[in-house]
Amino acid sequence: TETEGSPSFTPYCLKEWKLGDSFTVERNEDYYGKRPYFDRVIMKRVPNSANRVAILRTGGAQMTETLTPKEYNSLRDARGVKVAGHFSNQTLMFLVNHKVPPFDDVRVRQAVALSIPYDEIIRVTYFGDAHQWHGLVPSTYPGYARPTTNYEENPEKAKALLAEAGYPNGEGLEKFASSFQLSYETEREGTLGPAAIVIRSALRKVGFPVELDPMPTSQLADRRSVKKDIPFSLYDLSRPIGVDAAYAVLLYFVTPAKGGILNMTHFASDKVDSLYYQAKAEGNPAARNSILADIQNTLMSELPWIPVVEYKTQWAFTDKMRGVTLHPDSNIRWHELYLEE
């Protein structure tokens, strides 16, 4: 499928769109604002990230994105290339389905959270370009409040919670073997694979019978967001585009019957639903933030899912490129870019 030409009020107009191949725009000569530096911008689809790295290093492209953390790290000292980025709203979350035993028991969810080796994931998977996520709302968002309940790696405390839940040293969890198939996108193997291996090893030491179950993105997306029957999965591509803690709560945690949008883990809380609508109607910013803080504390106690890390939004580009700017939606504005002569 191909599309040619499209009017626009933006700095660029669509020139050509080849579905699955490339997207080309040309400068809008009638744009009211500052004249963009580039006459034409071509966004080329290159599915393999290693190929994107090679094209950038050989000068075939001026910028690339969505590389693995390892690839970004390998480019930091590359001649003619720069890597830049900052924390925005990109996170790694550990989804646990509340309708699938034993994750319907909050003590089991808390034990999982206490078993995760956060520092090792930051070091091994993200090469230091991440930090532990304290909360279930991006920490850069207005209305974020660091919850009073947080989970650091503590295997002994995790074992104690499992014993309290009726699974001493993990005994009895084997009957839920299918629940502990840890799913993630095969297309994200370069990033999620190392994290999954680290998590599997740590959780098995506590007593969780975890096995890895990577699957294609299309299949996993359908089961995660439509059927909502995935019991146990890693996910790092969902982010609330509305830069506000209340929107993140609506997106992920309000029940569908009350207007919730995704709610991928079947989490249900009358308290969270009620507090969300109180926050929505509250006109005083301080009072609204207080309600949002109460919601975030409740979420961290109940664990709709387990927050793992917040990682940097990054780009790699020619060292002559200027104007690379982080925006709330984490997308580059092409009209802000220019090359240093």
Side-chain angles (χ1 to χ4, degrees):
T1 301
E2 295 188 13
T3 301
E4 292 188 6
S6 178
S8 171
F9 293 104
T10 70
Y12 288 99
C13 296
L14 174 65
K15 172 63 176 176
E16 185 178 46
W17 182 7
K18 296 181 180 179
L19 189 62
D21 178 75
S22 61
F23 186 89
T24 303
V25 297
E26 290 187 340
R27 185 166 54 204
N28 182 359
E29 299 298 343
D30 296 321
Y31 181 59
Y32 66 89
K34 183 179 178 181
R35 180 182 174 87
Y37 175 88
F38 292 105
D39 296 333
R40 173 179 293 190
V41 177
I42 301 172
M43 178 177 280
K44 180 75 173 175
R45 183 174 183 269
V46 181
N48 187 289
S49 63
N51 290 342
R52 295 198 295 275
V53 170
I55 292 170
L56 177 69
R57 296 192 69 160
T58 57
Q62 284 69 53
M63 173 175 281
T64 189
E65 57 186 3
T66 62
L67 302 180
T68 68
K70 184 176 182 179
E71 288 165 339
Y72 280 123
N73 189 61
S74 73
L75 287 171
R76 295 195 187 283
D77 297 321
R79 180 178 298 178
V81 176
K82 289 188 68 175
V83 174
H86 205 276
F87 292 101
S88 176
N89 58 6
Q90 295 195 284
T91 60
L92 174 63
M93 56 184 72
F94 200 145
L95 303 180
V96 286
N97 195 322
H98 290 223
K99 285 192 174 181
V100 178
F103 305 124
D104 52 348
D105 189 327
V106 68
R107 294 168 296 186
V108 174
R109 300 196 297 271
Q110 291 171 339
V112 172
L114 290 164
S115 304
I116 295 175
Y118 300 96
D119 290 341
E120 187 177 358
I121 290 171
I122 291 167
R123 183 180 70 256
V124 171
T125 302
Y126 294 96
F127 297 86
D129 288 322
H131 56 233
Q132 186 176 347
W133 187 10
H134 296 290
L136 290 104
V137 168
S139 63
T140 57
Y141 278 20
Y144 166 81
R146 178 164 172 161
T148 54
T149 299
N150 280 286
Y151 302 89
E152 305 292 339
E153 183 184 9
N154 190 331
E156 294 308 311
K157 189 174 180 180
K159 289 179 180 179
L161 278 170
L162 273 186
E164 183 182 322
Y167 310 108
N169 297 313
E171 296 174 10
L173 290 178
E174 65 278 358
K175 65 183 177 182
F176 304 115
S178 62
S179 298
F180 289 99
Q181 297 292 309
L182 180 55
S183 304
Y184 61 91
E185 287 89 345
T186 51
E187 292 88 337
R188 300 284 294 160
E189 177 66 38
T191 297
L192 296 181
I197 291 170
V198 168
I199 289 172
R200 175 185 180 274
S201 177
L203 266 64
R204 288 182 70 88
K205 290 178 182 177
V206 172
F208 294 104
V210 178
E211 297 293 348
L212 302 186
D213 185 29
M215 61 180 68
T217 296
S218 58
Q219 178 184 351
L220 187 52
D222 178 62
R223 293 189 59 190
R224 177 188 287 136
S225 301
V226 181
K227 296 177 182 175
K228 298 185 180 180
D229 64 352
I230 287 288
F232 206 50
S233 66
L234 285 176
Y235 195 23
D236 70 342
L237 292 179
S238 184
R239 54 192 182 188
I241 59 173
V243 186
D244 177 66
Y247 175 74
V249 171
L250 174 65
L251 179 66
Y252 294 127
F253 310 119
V254 173
T255 56
K258 297 293 184 179
I261 302 171
L262 285 181
N263 201 315
M264 296 175 285
T265 62
H266 297 288
F267 172 71
S269 167
D270 291 339
K271 180 179 179 180
V272 170
D273 288 350
S274 176
L275 287 174
Y276 167 74
Y277 281 100
Q278 289 180 40
K280 185 178 180 180
E282 180 56 64
N284 181 286
R288 181 178 187 269
N289 285 343
S290 178
I291 298 170
L292 291 173
D294 194 0
I295 292 174
Q296 291 169 78
N297 280 320
T298 301
L299 293 173
M300 281 300 279
S301 295
E302 294 295 323
L303 286 180
W305 34 260
I306 298 158
V308 183
V309 301
E310 296 182 289
Y311 63 93
K312 284 184 178 179
T313 298
Q314 298 188 93
W315 300 273
F317 46 91
T318 171
D319 61 1
K320 297 184 183 300
M321 184 74 76
R322 300 292 182 267
V324 179
T325 305
L326 179 65
H327 291 275
D329 61 4
S330 301
N331 291 319
I332 290 291
R333 305 293 191 263
W334 294 334
H335 68 281
E336 296 178 342
L337 301 177
Y338 63 96
L339 295 178
E340 189 175 65
E341 302 294 342

